[in-house]
Amino acid sequence: MTAEPPPSGDARLPLRERKKLRTRQALIDTALELFTARGFGGVTLDELCDAVEISKRTFFRNFAGKEDVAMAPTQDLWRTFLDDLETREPGDRPVAEMLQEALFASLERMTEDGWAHRVLLSRRLAGKTPSMDAHGLHFCHGTSRAALDILHRRFRFDAPDDLRPRLALDLLIAASHCAIEQWTNRPGTPTREDLATDLRAAFAALPGSLTLTAAVRAE
Amino acid sequence: MTAEPPPSGDARLPLRERKKLRTRQALIDTALELFTARGFGGVTLDELCDAVEISKRTFFRNFAGKEDVAMAPTQDLWRTFLDDLETREPGDRPVAEMLQEALFASLERMTEDGWAHRVLLSRRLAGKTPSMDAHGLHFCHGTSRAALDILHRRFRFDAPDDLRPRLALDLLIAASHCAIEQWTNRPGTPTREDLATDLRAAFAALPGSLTLTAAVRAE
DNA sequence: CCAGTTATGCCACTGAGTGGCATAAGCGCG
DNA sequence: CGCGCTTATGCCACTCAGTGGCATAACTGG
């Protein structure tokens, strides 16, 4: 037993890195706790920093803004998604299907303890906090652009300025948002597997959304 | 000649309202001008308010934040879109088509002088300014939710928690963003009609984006 | 143990956004 | 016209997010 399994540690990193990761994680957990209790606007950065015993300057070396600390869990998922996209085989099926598989695979990789719970708190906060919602949307937009770069780097499409790859990505993200919202509003404590279920449902509803017709509501 | 056509005026409103609209318009125009010249972050609200000879307090009675003043033109379009949705007949065609028609009709109504130019400046700024992009996305998300309310109020769908109406709206908005981006990157000074063209192209590409397959790029 | 690197803390500062209150500008009415 | 009534505006002080600079402490490798 030359080493104990590090509690919040990853691989066997240099001490300095582990410390940094530990304060980062403490910031995320404490932030979600405080924000959930008193609201995003009801907690100042100074208070958060005091709680974690960190200077405000250090906070901004870990996160770009107050919103980011509360959205880190979701961002991890999308970063993994981009990683996956770099190597996934396209096969013969539609790109849209490949993208969905990449997202499912990324979800499988979110094995960190309590990840689903953190995402849940994060999304419920975002629902009540416009600036968090805005930042989340912006981040997803950036992810979509990065993914589009990967697609164009790895694959070739008929037309060089084809809109369809980009739309396929935006559709994936729209369906994901839809699924995450459904999942967030589930009663009790939804699990990671529940999220996969909701994602499948949203993806399945995608094709029908273009052909759906409406019935006028009877008075 | 009992009345001259009011330069920036709408209907014959009470004097007080006209004044308010005039300072509002002055704020939008001056903001777009200054932001374009020195960047969004390169202009303080105090400077903007000085230029329009307005107190900062008054600025915040017209706009909710620094970003909003620069995004007003686009927001007008989407507000008109919601208006249109309230009365548009569904017919026998898919909801998605009706939504597209509603957007085209709204675009037709943007007859204000120089509207296209303002949108152009606004979007080009948003491309370089993360916080503007985020706010724009957030606004569109809110519009999508409002439109969903209208759909559910006016029409009846098979299942009460059907995801498809919502996805249809998100798809409309995704395609619109795609189109506006194309339009923004056109060389020269694209017109309102050009925007309609780009919208049509994006909507047409929507169905194919789900079935598109990729060819591996040859080394 | 000793440099060299890198994270941290502290301090002062800018700028967005808010609340309160006095004042002035438009408005309706006698 | 002049009178109150309503509503927009201006001013002031304040909170808080976010930044830059610089000294210091903590890890690292030899």
Side-chain angles (χ1 to χ4, degrees), chain A residues 2-207:
Chain A
T2 59
E4 54 169 343
S8 79
D10 288 52
R12 199 115 289 276
L13 289 164
L15 171 60
R16 204 190 249 155
E17 300 296 315
R18 268 180 291 158
K19 256 190 161 172
K20 217 173 146 80
L21 280 182
R22 220 172 335 129
T23 59
R24 182 190 156 85
Q25 200 55 47
L27 272 171
I28 294 173
D29 288 331
T30 313
L32 286 176
E33 190 179 328
L34 291 179
F35 291 165
T36 300
R38 318 211 301 264
F40 182 80
V43 182
T44 67
L45 282 184
D46 288 318
E47 289 172 320
L48 173 59
C49 292
D50 278 359
V52 189
E53 291 178 296
I54 275 294
S55 80
K56 199 170 55 165
R57 203 67 189 78
T58 297
F59 173 89
F60 282 106
R61 289 196 188 91
N62 283 278
F63 299 98
K66 193 185 179 186
E67 286 81 14
D68 292 287
V69 67
M71 315 202 75
T74 320
Q75 298 185 356
D76 286 345
L77 175 65
W78 289 107
R79 262 188 283 269
T80 307
F81 170 76
L82 289 182
D83 261 21
D84 185 285
L85 259 198
E86 289 283 3
T87 58
R88 182 162 293 270
E89 286 304 320
D92 268 347
R93 62 199 184 301
V95 177
E97 254 178 58
M98 183 191 71
L99 296 175
Q100 294 170 14
E101 278 183 25
L103 188 55
F104 282 122
S106 312
L107 188 56
E108 301 274 320
R109 288 198 213 159
M110 301 317 241
T111 53
E112 213 181 336
D113 223 48
W115 177 81
H117 183 242
R118 279 191 291 273
V119 173
L120 190 67
L121 292 182
S122 176
R123 294 314 307 167
R124 290 197 172 147
L125 276 168
K128 292 185 239 163
T129 313
S131 75
M132 273 185 67
D133 187 50
H135 270 72
L137 259 15
H138 177 67
F139 177 82
C140 279
H141 185 249
T143 300
S144 167
R145 301 307 298 253
L148 188 58
D149 278 352
I150 297 176
L151 289 187
H152 274 125
R153 182 152 33 81
R154 293 191 60 209
F155 311 127
R156 195 166 40 74
F157 301 97
D158 297 344
D161 62 341
D162 196 341
L163 299 179
R164 290 172 302 168
R166 183 191 155 152
L167 285 173
L169 277 163
D170 284 350
L171 266 44
L172 174 90
I173 288 182
S176 306
H177 283 154
C178 198
I180 290 182
E181 188 176 314
Q182 294 285 119
W183 179 77
T184 305
N185 293 329
R186 277 177 181 241
T189 309
T191 66
R192 198 164 54 102
E193 287 73 30
D194 292 333
L195 180 52
T197 303
D198 289 336
L199 278 171
R200 261 184 289 273
F203 292 149
L206 223 27

Side-chain angles (χ1 to χ4, degrees), chain B residues 131-146:
Chain B
S131 75
M132 272 183 68
D133 187 50
H135 270 71
L137 260 14
H138 177 67
F139 177 83
C140 278
H141 186 249
T143 301
S144 168
R145 302 306 300 251

